[in-house]
């Protein structure tokens, strides 16, 4: 259930994202936007373990991507929608 997941436990600051050529704030902002969008798009009755598993994918998939700081909100929405619709591909369930 979605209400058992505290989204603030996942959010990051510029200090933890690593070196982004002085764009650490932007990288953190994008990562946090992905977390929030994924959480917001998830259905209210999503099993807690599924949601935490999907949120765990955000860091693993995006922190090393050079395109992270170039993402637009539409790109983030599309990625999150894709992950939710195809969660069986991403989760070991």
């Amino acid at each position: 259930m979605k209400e058992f997941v505290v989204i603030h436990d996942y959010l990051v600051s510029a200090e933890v994202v690593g070196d982004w050529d002085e764009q650490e704030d932007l990288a953190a902002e994008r990562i946090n936007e992905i977390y929030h969008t994924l959480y917001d798009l998830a259905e209210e009755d999503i099993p807690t373990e599924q949601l935490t598993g999907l949120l765990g994918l955000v860091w693993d998939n995006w922190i090393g991507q050079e395109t992270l700081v170039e993402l637009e909100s539409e790109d983030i929405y599309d990625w999150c929608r894709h992950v939710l619709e195809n969660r069986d591909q991403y989760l070991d369930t």
Side-chain angles (χ1 to χ4, degrees):
M1 302 286 283
K2 187 173 167 177
E3 70 265 12
F4 296 121
V5 177
V6 179
I7 191 64
H8 296 290
D9 291 346
Y10 292 88
L11 303 181
V12 298
S13 65
E15 290 76 29
V16 299
V17 296
D19 182 17
W20 283 89
D21 295 326
E22 299 183 17
Q23 292 186 304
E24 291 80 8
D25 287 331
L26 185 56
E29 184 179 313
R30 291 297 183 267
I31 288 281
N32 290 336
E33 184 177 352
I34 297 168
Y35 281 128
H36 275 289
T37 302
L38 187 60
Y39 184 87
D40 291 345
L41 289 175
E43 60 274 11
E44 292 298 322
D45 63 346
I46 187 173
T48 303
E49 59 278 352
Q50 281 189 11
L51 183 54
T52 58
L54 294 173
L55 289 169
L57 294 172
V58 173
W59 182 267
D60 294 340
N61 281 287
W62 286 106
I63 197 57
Q65 298 293 327
E66 292 179 16
T67 59
L68 174 64
V69 294
E70 299 166 6
L71 288 176
E72 299 291 333
S73 292
E74 183 178 306
D75 301 321
I76 291 171
Y77 178 89
D78 290 345
W79 184 83
C80 292
R81 185 91 249 139
H82 171 80
V83 168
L84 284 165
E85 290 172 357
N86 298 285
R87 67 185 76 169
D88 292 341
Q89 293 178 8
Y90 297 99
L91 300 173
D92 296 325
T93 56

